[in-house]
Amino acid sequence: ANRAFSDLASSLVAGTATVLTLGALAIGRLDHAGHGTSKRVGMVVAMIGVPMFGYGWAIAHWAQNGEVPWLQAMAVLVSVGLSATIIQSGRLLGLLCGQVAMWSAITCAISPLGGLLAIVIGGALGTIAYQRQLEIDLAESMRLQEAARQQMRAQEILADYEETGQGWFWETDRRGMILYVSAAVAELLRRTPEELQGRPLTDLFQIEDKAEAGPSESGADRTLTFHLTARSSFSDLVVRAAIKGEERWWAITGRPIYDTFDNFQGFRGSGADLTQQKRTQEHVSRLAHFDSLTGLSNRFFMSQSLEKILIAPQVRQRACAVLLIDLDRFKQVNDTLGHPAGDQLLKQVAQRLERGVGSAGRVGRLGGDEFQIILPGRIERPMLAQIASHIIESLSQSYTLDGSRVMIGASVGIAIAPDDGVTSEALIRNADLALYAAKDGGRGRFHFYAPDLHSDAEERRKLEEDLRDALAHGQLELYYQPVVQTTTERITGFEALLRWHHPEHGFISPEKFIPIAEEAGLIAQIGEWALRQACMDLARWPGNVRVAVNVSALQFANPALPGIVTSALASAGVNPERLELEITESVFINDDDGNEAMFRALKRIGVRLALDDFGTGYSSLGYLKKAPFDKIKIDQSFVRGATQDGSRNGAIIASIVSLAEALDMETTAEGVETLDELDLVRLLGCSHVQGYIYERPLSALAAADRLSSGLVAIARGPRAARAMRQSILRRVVLEHGGQTYEANVRNISRTGALVEGIRNVPGGTVFRIHVADEQVVTATARWCEDDRIGVEFSEPLELDETGRIAIMSPRRQRPAPVLPTGVTIEAPRRRA
Ligand code: C2E
Ligand code: CA
Ligand code: CA
């Protein structure tokens, strides 16, 4: 019974052990689950030690009872131990625990003491193993944690980086289809990352849009496709993101990835946002190429463009025209209205130029108020002339700046490649010379380059140089022209007129040197000298005689003027009432506060103010009411020809007079030369007359002498302006660019003539006309039709005693043939 019980117990123990063993398999899993070491040891003992002990015990009992032969029992135990070892492979504790438990169970079955000993030894070994396991586990868990931390850190850093939008990552499969792309990029493309997956990588970029991209960008696109096909690494390829309506640039980098068997798996790489950098670059290049105020090309870019044309591979493509444009009176706007208004004006000028030129050429601003236009291709001169006059016309329309209406003018110089130069320096220098000639010709004009301009420019430069010393060398002098009251025929005053006695060139007209003085910044000095000198001379004249001094618009804009006037009056000791300042209309190009303040300051001093050259400038009758003028000077261009039938000048004079009377102002008719003109202006009611009919300008000495004989003035001169336009036929020689041409002169007036017999003369051409031996006049072509050209003389011709044009009345003059006089040449209007 004891043996039967023992067998039963053995079977039970073995069965339980089997159940536990199955459970032990779970230990492996539990082990992985990462429990604490002590907990694990407990589990190992319970799940491995106990069943193994059971197996050992049961089998030992079966063997002892003779149920199983010991040899077989041993074999079973060995295989159980082996299975346990396999199951527990790699797990030291489990292994040890299983082996110790099983063998100590056998020992137990044979001798309880030996078994106990085995358990103790096993326990000791187990404790050592436990300690060891503890260390191993600790080290392992630390390693795992560290690895996990590292992985986390890398992930977080990447995620942060992706989130900033500066950089992003991508991966493709072997066909180049997207496997992964950063969410930020998907968002930029207004897609989800999932939508992008499976699409070609190149879909992220704008590749088809080659026209818009520069050459380098489309190149980058091609390179990308190439790398993807060739499976080669690339870095920092610049591509444009495929985002409609937004410009975004990326630099992308990528490398092919291979698996362990060296099979190509696809590409992996990153992208970085370049937009800001690119914008900065563009901004820098804009700054380098464009004028920041007007947005036009700058000087550098213009000369680059010109150079490009001039070195074109085919000679035919090297033709072009360069137009230099300079604004007239811009400085006045800038000085009186302020720089912001000046800037505003430049912008509007730029717009008009661009609109005018369109795609036919390139417009640039060279700086200040200087503009340039390059027109590529061969354009005939008449066409260029038309373009130039178009530009002048468009720029001369009024501008609105901060509510004020402003008028300026423009002068244009034209040089043509290859005729006038084949290098950009030569072309620009020659266009500049032409521009100078245009300005010299009276502004608001255009001029083609001609070789003889070189000497003109040299002459002008020299004049400017000489003018700097003219004052110091006592070459400037004031002449005085009497102003006569119409009703009493008595001299009421004199107008002071500058004269320059040049040591070489002799006498130079103020019409010529005053603009030079204004441009060279000499007018303030010269103007102040004139004021002081006039006051000093005035101090020696009778008290009822006045002096009128011309004041340039530049002087008028200078706040120091009232101080200078006061000082000039005080040092000469004359009554302010006796000084009259002549101001031209050009000061009214704007109606700002500075003007009003200046008028008030001058009126406070007590000087008289006269409006000079009325009707030649920006006639706005509005300002006449506001400005405190004592006198209006009617320009001689209205007086001239007023006596001729059909002329409207008389009507104009009449209306100016009635306006002046209404405003309680005097009127002076300027430049009255004939008795007929005198009768007319008297009839029209002008209160004063100034002109050769009474007296030419006199030197200070002659003026004093004239005064000593009393104030009564007597009109002396021709009755009629009979020879205002003389119809004559005269053979002359024209000289231009070192060549001479024969031609006929018909219809000559004081200001111009009709020349017959020459063809194809571009407007603006300047030549010298040899009218007679030793008699040469400089003239500018204004129009050309068939073989006839209209020319304008650079200076009006003198009249002789009989009222004929002096230069045209040599001793042996042929009788004038009767010719149709359909052509009129308008008298030039002087501008300040
Ligand atoms: P303006 O003020 O209109 O002066 C009148 C001009 O007409 C003077 O020329 C005078 O000699 C001329 N003149 C007078 N009567 C007759 C005439 O019957 N027939 C003709 N054909 N001309 C006549 P001028 O002296 O050559 O002066 C020319 C211009 O130079 C002046 O025109 C004035 O604008 C300027 N100017 C002269 N002196 C000064 C000055 O001291 N300061 C400034 N800023 N400008 C001056
Ligand atoms: Ca004057
Ligand atoms: Ca005048």
Side-chain angles (χ1 to χ4, degrees), residues 139-271:
E140 174 69 5
S141 90
M142 298 254 286
R143 195 186 61 77
L144 282 176
Q145 270 179 25
E146 181 55 29
R149 246 204 317 275
Q150 268 184 16
Q151 205 175 347
M152 279 295 282
R153 194 187 301 138
Q155 261 170 11
E156 272 172 20
I157 288 173
L158 286 181
D160 280 355
Y161 185 63
E162 280 188 322
E163 220 165 272
T164 60
Q166 291 179 35
W168 49 278
F169 301 99
W170 54 271
E171 187 180 336
T172 64
D173 65 11
R174 34 189 308 127
R175 293 168 306 141
M177 301 301 173
I178 296 169
L179 286 178
Y180 172 81
V181 64
S182 295
V185 165
E187 205 174 296
L188 273 177
L189 300 175
R190 295 177 196 106
R191 300 265 175 80
T192 62
E194 292 72 42
E195 281 175 324
L196 290 176
Q197 273 159 25
R199 301 175 132 274
L201 177 70
T202 45
D203 268 15
L204 300 182
F205 317 121
Q206 217 165 297
I207 289 181
E208 50 291 290
D209 220 347
K210 289 234 165 67
E212 226 177 284
S216 64
E217 277 82 50
S218 56
D221 292 337
R222 270 201 305 277
T223 325
L224 176 63
T225 325
F226 166 78
H227 281 295
L228 293 179
T229 335
R231 299 178 183 176
S232 58
S233 305
F234 53 88
S235 68
D236 291 331
L237 274 185
V238 178
V239 288
R240 185 173 171 183
I243 307 173
K244 284 251 146 50
E246 187 188 331
E247 205 168 305
R248 190 171 281 275
W249 296 90
W250 286 318
I252 55 162
T253 297
R255 62 181 177 84
I257 40 174
Y258 296 91
D259 67 6
T260 36
F261 303 103
D262 245 6
N263 287 321
F264 173 68
Q265 294 292 89
F267 267 87
R268 196 177 278 166
S270 59

Side-chain angles (χ1 to χ4, degrees), residues 495 550 582 612-614 633-636 670 690 830:
E495 177 178 3
N550 291 285
E582 294 196 359
D612 203 356
D613 301 344
F614 183 76
K633 299 194 76 174
I634 301 166
D635 192 72
Q636 58 174 283
E670 289 190 280
Q690 182 184 347
R830 256 198 330 273

Side-chain angles (χ1 to χ4, degrees), residues 32-349:
H32 282 295
H35 287 277
T37 310
S38 54
K39 213 169 170 185
R40 252 177 65 207
V41 169
M43 273 198 283
V44 166
V45 170
M47 311 292 265
I48 301 168
V50 173
M52 289 304 276
F53 188 87
Y55 277 126
W57 194 83
I59 291 168
H61 270 274
W62 275 322
Q64 237 178 0
N65 289 352
E67 217 77 17
V68 188
W70 266 108
L71 201 66
Q72 277 176 23
M74 281 321 237
V76 170
L77 278 171
V78 167
S79 41
V80 167
L82 259 168
S83 331
T85 306
I86 291 166
I87 292 169
Q88 288 298 313
S89 70
R91 277 185 285 271
L92 178 68
L93 196 66
L95 209 98
L96 211 70
C97 188
Q99 296 295 325
V100 168
M102 191 177 76
W103 293 111
S104 57
I106 297 164
T107 329
C108 259
I110 298 158
S111 105
L113 193 74
L116 213 67
L117 203 72
I119 290 174
V120 169
I121 294 169
L125 278 172
T127 310
I128 294 167
Y130 168 69
Q131 286 295 338
R132 175 91 191 94
Q133 184 69 40
L134 210 63
E135 281 163 30
I136 291 171
D137 283 358
L138 200 68
E140 174 69 5
S141 90
M142 298 254 286
R143 195 186 61 77
L144 282 176
Q145 270 179 25
E146 181 55 29
R149 246 204 317 275
Q150 268 184 16
Q151 205 175 347
M152 279 295 282
R153 194 187 301 138
Q155 261 170 11
E156 272 172 20
I157 288 173
L158 286 181
D160 280 355
Y161 185 63
E162 280 188 322
E163 220 165 272
T164 60
Q166 291 179 35
W168 49 278
F169 301 99
W170 54 271
E171 187 180 336
T172 64
D173 65 11
R174 34 189 308 127
R175 293 168 306 141
M177 301 301 173
I178 296 169
L179 286 178
Y180 172 81
V181 64
S182 295
V185 165
E187 205 174 296
L188 273 177
L189 300 175
R190 295 177 196 106
R191 300 265 175 80
T192 62
E194 292 72 42
E195 281 175 324
L196 290 176
Q197 273 159 25
R199 301 175 132 274
L201 177 70
T202 45
D203 268 15
L204 300 182
F205 317 121
Q206 217 165 297
I207 289 181
E208 50 291 290
D209 220 347
K210 289 234 165 67
E212 226 177 284
S216 64
E217 277 82 50
S218 56
D221 292 337
R222 270 201 305 277
T223 325
L224 176 63
T225 325
F226 166 78
H227 281 295
L228 293 179
T229 335
R231 299 178 183 176
S232 58
S233 305
F234 53 88
S235 68
D236 291 331
L237 274 185
V238 178
V239 288
R240 185 173 171 183
I243 307 173
K244 284 251 146 50
E246 187 188 331
E247 205 168 305
R248 190 171 281 275
W249 296 90
W250 286 318
I252 55 162
T253 297
R255 62 181 177 84
I257 40 174
Y258 296 91
D259 67 6
T260 36
F261 303 103
D262 245 6
N263 287 321
F264 173 68
Q265 294 292 89
F267 267 87
R268 196 177 278 166
S270 59
D273 200 315
L274 269 190
T275 316
Q276 202 48 46
Q277 194 184 331
K278 196 106 180 150
R279 281 205 191 122
T280 315
Q281 254 174 26
E282 262 163 32
H283 185 62
V284 168
S285 106
R286 268 203 89 71
L287 282 186
H289 290 127
F290 296 94
D291 170 47
S292 54
L293 176 67
T294 59
L296 296 178
S297 307
N298 64 12
R299 181 188 287 274
F300 168 75
F301 198 40
M302 287 306 276
S303 74
Q304 244 188 1
S305 312
L306 182 58
E307 214 118 285
K308 221 180 260 171
I309 294 174
L310 295 175
I311 57 167
Q314 282 172 347
V315 180
R316 198 164 40 83
Q317 294 174 322
R318 293 183 206 158
C320 67
V322 175
L323 281 73
L324 278 185
I325 299 143
D326 191 271
L327 304 183
D328 300 334
R329 297 184 297 274
F330 170 73
K331 196 173 149 23
Q332 270 151 276
V333 176
N334 219 18
D335 288 351
T336 51
L337 276 187
H339 288 276
D343 286 355
Q344 217 25 64
L345 179 60
L346 289 175
K347 276 192 214 169
Q348 294 188 25
V349 167

